Amino acid sequence: MDVSLTMWVLTVAVLCALIAVDFFFGRKPHEVSLKEAGTWSAIWVAMAVLFGIGLLIFEGGTPSGEFFAGYVTEKSLSVDNLFVFVLIMTKFAVPPEYQSRVLLVGVLIALLLRGAFIAAGAALIASFSWVFYIFGAFLIWTAWQLIKEARAKDQEEEYEENRFLKLVERRFPATDRYHGTKMVIRENGRRLITPMLIVMLAIGSTDILFALDSIPAIFGLTEDAYIVFTANAFALMGLRQLYFLIGGLLEKLVHLSYGLSIILGFIGVKLVLHAMHESGVNTPEISTPLSLGVICGVLVVTTFTSLRANRKERKAAEAAESSS
């Protein structure tokens, strides 16, 4: 897809305007209700669908299909990321009224990081076709790691601070309580950072790890940097509201990691086959409609089996309680 510089600038400007609107409505610290989260989640999904339909009308079925496949993949990976966000919020005891601001800044950091990674990935792919082998192998390895993590879910999860965060906490004195949404305050003549800044850095630095699997995954569905960027942007824009909407349901999606491992493994194989094809080997190519069908199918089955497993577990617990 040939995208002009004007279209790139216009797209980024529109996204910035949407972020400004989102920030305006969430500027006052408050506890986000389910109604508010549901309304804004529906708005962000509707905008993504309209954008995909626009691609279908003006650019054809292939770009539109690639966008929807990338959007659904990034959205599903974002849901898995919410588990980590919950752990971070719990670790730093973020008051409910401040969580929305933390997530908004986290999303902004994620967008900037994704933009940098997408530019780097597009440059590598344009120069070296063998990068697809690396991306494919990395996704297959990530899929296996997700399966191992899913099997270890019985152990209680706890967020562990990364080295960067530990370095910040060691070098800069911090207050022991929140001061509204302020990140830095002056107390007794000393400049101190607040837990608000620390938790935002925790979210932002974690976003780097998230991008390491999401960017290769979407490049496995399309090589168009414009589609990669917009699919990531629309998936991330609704992440903050999604956190409040399905926060209570996250623990019920017990099979999500297995579903994501299948999706990442599938895209990894797709990348390897594409790399072999580019190298002159006569291998089959997996089409975009098939990719979209597999991704959506896996997510539907995973959600169904997760809810079914939870229902069985609840009934077993009720039976055990009634018999005791």
Side-chain angles (χ1 to χ4, degrees), residues 73-89 103 106 110 114 142 146 149 153 157 159 202-203 206-215 232 235-236 239 242-243 246 250 253 256-257 260 264:
T73 299
E74 293 298 323
K75 201 70 172 175
S76 58
L77 289 171
S78 295
V79 171
D80 192 46
N81 297 344
L82 292 181
F83 282 103
V84 181
F85 287 172
V86 170
L87 294 177
I88 291 174
M89 296 292 189
L103 290 170
R114 299 292 174 92
T142 304
L146 277 176
E149 289 176 10
K153 283 284 184 182
E157 286 189 274
Y159 173 72
I203 295 284
T206 303
D207 282 328
I208 298 176
L209 300 178
F210 294 161
L212 290 179
D213 56 13
S214 67
I215 298 304
N232 264 275
L236 287 172
L239 184 60
L242 196 62
Y243 171 87
I246 68 171
L250 287 176
L253 299 176
L256 179 62
S257 292
L260 292 178
L264 292 179

Side-chain angles (χ1 to χ4, degrees), residues 19-28 104:
I19 292 172
V21 170
D22 196 8
F23 184 84
F24 175 79
F25 281 98
R27 70 190 186 283
K28 185 178 179 181
L104 179 60

Side-chain angles (χ1 to χ4, degrees), residues 37 43 51 54 93 121 129 151 198 200 208 247 267 281 290 309:
I43 289 173
F51 182 82
S129 60
R151 289 176 176 175
I198 296 174
M200 286 180 178
I208 298 176
I267 297 175
V281 181
L290 177 59

Side-chain angles (χ1 to χ4, degrees), residues 164-215:
F164 169 69
L165 209 57
K166 290 178 179 177
L167 177 65
V168 171
E169 291 178 318
R170 252 194 336 263
R171 295 289 182 87
F172 300 95
T175 63
D176 57 357
R177 63 186 179 87
Y178 288 87
H179 293 262
T181 57
K182 293 180 179 178
M183 293 181 282
V184 179
I185 66 165
R186 185 174 291 277
E187 192 174 89
N188 297 326
R190 299 175 64 204
R191 191 180 294 274
L192 304 174
I193 64 174
T194 70
M196 178 63 72
L197 177 59
I198 296 174
V199 73
M200 286 180 178
L201 290 174
I203 295 284
S205 57
T206 303
D207 282 328
I208 298 176
L209 300 178
F210 294 161
L212 290 179
D213 56 13
S214 67
I215 298 304

Side-chain angles (χ1 to χ4, degrees), residues 23-276:
F23 184 84
F24 175 79
F25 281 98
R27 70 190 186 283
K28 185 178 179 181
H30 67 287
E31 190 170 349
V32 178
S33 65
L34 283 177
K35 181 180 179 181
E36 180 184 345
T39 301
W40 277 101
S41 293
I43 289 173
W44 288 121
V45 171
M47 280 197 260
V49 172
L50 288 174
F51 182 82
I53 293 174
L55 285 178
L56 176 63
I57 295 172
F58 295 105
E59 298 293 337
T62 299
S64 177
E66 290 176 349
F67 169 79
F68 280 120
Y71 173 73
V72 172
T73 299
E74 293 298 323
K75 201 70 172 175
S76 58
L77 289 171
S78 295
V79 171
D80 192 46
N81 297 344
L82 292 181
F83 282 103
V84 181
F85 287 172
V86 170
L87 294 177
I88 291 174
M89 296 292 189
T90 304
K91 166 75 175 180
F92 293 99
V94 182
E97 62 269 23
Y98 300 146
Q99 291 182 5
S100 179
R101 178 64 62 86
V102 170
L103 290 170
L104 179 60
V105 175
V107 167
L108 291 175
I109 294 173
L111 281 170
L112 293 174
L113 291 172
R114 299 292 174 92
F117 282 145
I118 289 167
L124 284 172
I125 288 172
S127 303
F128 311 102
S129 60
W130 49 262
V131 169
F132 285 115
Y133 285 111
I134 297 176
F135 281 1
F138 178 74
L139 289 180
I140 294 171
W141 177 80
T142 304
W144 172 243
Q145 291 299 115
L146 277 176
I147 292 175
K148 289 170 63 177
E149 289 176 10
R151 289 176 176 175
K153 283 284 184 182
D154 295 335
Q155 303 175 1
E156 188 175 345
E157 286 189 274
E158 198 172 315
Y159 173 72
E160 293 185 9
E161 297 178 3
N162 54 47
R163 292 181 179 178
F164 169 69
L165 209 57
K166 290 178 179 177
L167 177 65
V168 171
E169 291 178 318
R170 252 194 336 263
R171 295 289 182 87
F172 300 95
T175 63
D176 57 357
R177 63 186 179 87
Y178 288 87
H179 293 262
T181 57
K182 293 180 179 178
M183 293 181 282
V184 179
I185 66 165
R186 185 174 291 277
E187 192 174 89
N188 297 326
R190 299 175 64 204
R191 191 180 294 274
L192 304 174
I193 64 174
T194 70
M196 178 63 72
L197 177 59
I198 296 174
V199 73
M200 286 180 178
L201 290 174
I203 295 284
S205 57
T206 303
D207 282 328
I208 298 176
L209 300 178
F210 294 161
L212 290 179
D213 56 13
S214 67
I215 298 304
I218 195 170
F219 269 117
L221 300 169
T222 176
E223 296 178 41
D224 193 311
Y226 182 77
I227 294 176
V228 171
F229 174 74
T230 51
N232 264 275
F234 278 108
L236 287 172
M237 292 296 285
L239 184 60
R240 183 167 65 95
Q241 288 78 13
L242 196 62
Y243 171 87
F244 297 103
L245 184 64
I246 68 171
L249 298 176
L250 287 176
E251 293 182 358
K252 296 183 179 181
L253 299 176
V254 293
H255 297 158
L256 179 62
S257 292
Y258 291 106
L260 292 178
S261 67
I262 293 173
I263 291 173
L264 292 179
F266 169 77
I267 297 175
V269 171
K270 182 178 185 294
L271 276 170
V272 171
L273 290 175
H274 179 70
M276 294 173 67

